[in-house]
Amino acid sequence: RIDAKRTQSIGNATTSVVNSTTPADATATAESINKDVVVTCGDWQWVTDQRNRSGWQSDQYGSIIRFRLKVIDNKPPTISLLHMKSHSTFGSLRITFRAITKAQASSRPPPLWGCNDISKLENETLIPSFLVDGRIEQFSMWDTVTFPSKVENSDINSHHTWTVFNKTVLAAHARARSMDDSLEYVDLYVINPNKHGWRKRIKIQMVTSC
């Protein structure tokens, strides 16, 4: 469960996506990569509003935040993300995953996705992702999106999220097992995809795995 006010910004990767010339991995250290929460691009910050609702918030297109979740006993987890839906300035959020094996974690972890990876992260053919609508007709409320490790054929509500999780994490788990390796972490990335219009805000309160 990740819901504390913890972050580690990485050099120039926290500047505007338009002006950034340094990819996140160019200045990332091993210590930074292993943080639970890492802002790799843009304006993500922990915000508490006037109604005492706290969470990681972004208002800038291309902003990226990464949450690292530990895998226990090489068992792929079910991951849930709690985010705000609102009628006001809230837009969509894009979610994707990267599985990190034990061999990768102990030798050379893959570089963090940062500002220079925006176009790649928005290409669902290259990196499967799930677009979540944060808009609602009235009021504001917290909502949960779940990525299950298993899904029943009759569970049509979870089919799309499971498909993304299967392509990014479950398939990697199967490959690791075939090579006598195991999953060590699952990295969850949230990208602000709201490039146009006035609905550009997204807010995340909690990420959990079980």
Side-chain angles (χ1 to χ4, degrees):
R1 167 175 169 165
I2 300 176
D3 61 354
K5 186 178 180 181
R6 295 172 293 176
T7 187
Q8 175 69 30
S9 297
I10 300 180
N12 293 332
T14 58
T15 61
S16 167
V17 64
V18 176
N19 299 323
S20 177
T21 57
T22 304
D25 56 279
T27 52
T29 64
E31 182 181 358
S32 298
I33 290 175
N34 290 324
K35 293 287 186 180
D36 290 339
V37 185
V38 183
V39 176
T40 66
C41 187
D43 68 341
W44 284 100
Q45 58 182 324
W46 185 267
V47 174
T48 300
D49 64 20
Q50 295 178 341
R51 297 184 182 180
N52 202 33
R53 298 174 300 191
S54 299
W56 290 104
Q57 182 172 298
S58 169
D59 293 280
Q60 178 181 301
Y61 165 72
S63 295
I64 305 171
I65 190 169
R66 189 222 65 184
F67 300 91
R68 170 155 286 188
L69 300 157
K70 174 73 173 176
V71 175
I72 306 299
D73 297 328
N74 196 30
K75 181 180 179 182
T78 289
I79 295 177
S80 298
L81 181 145
L82 184 65
H83 68 101
M84 175 70 73
K85 298 187 74 168
S86 179
H87 65 96
S88 55
T89 59
F90 282 69
S92 301
L93 55 150
R94 185 177 297 279
I95 302 171
T96 191
F97 301 89
R98 176 185 269 177
I100 309 297
T101 67
K102 187 174 182 179
Q104 289 175 320
S106 61
S107 57
R108 188 175 181 180
L112 298 173
W113 285 325
C115 294
N116 288 2
D117 299 304
I118 299 299
S119 59
K120 181 169 63 176
L121 289 166
E122 290 185 327
N123 187 330
E124 295 186 19
T125 302
L126 292 176
I127 301 177
S129 61
F130 187 73
L131 195 64
V132 181
D133 190 355
R135 299 171 298 176
I136 195 170
E137 291 185 1
Q138 56 182 340
F139 309 117
S140 298
M141 60 180 291
W142 294 109
D143 193 31
T144 301
V145 55
T146 300
F147 296 85
S149 58
K150 297 180 181 179
V151 66
E152 300 292 336
N153 291 332
S154 58
D155 186 4
I156 58 175
N157 293 325
S158 299
H159 179 73
H160 294 301
T161 53
W162 176 85
T163 298
V164 171
F165 200 58
N166 182 47
K167 291 179 179 179
T168 55
V169 175
L170 302 182
H173 176 252
R175 288 194 300 269
R177 290 186 62 183
S178 69
M179 300 173 66
D180 293 326
D181 199 355
S182 60
L183 289 189
E184 187 76 4
Y185 302 106
V186 173
D187 285 351
L188 183 155
Y189 283 84
V190 181
I191 303 97
N192 188 331
N194 304 295
K195 192 172 185 178
H196 305 290
W198 52 276
R199 288 183 173 270
K200 294 184 177 180
R201 175 166 295 177
I202 55 181
K203 191 168 190 174
I204 300 165
Q205 187 181 68
M206 189 184 306
V207 177
T208 59
S209 66
C210 62

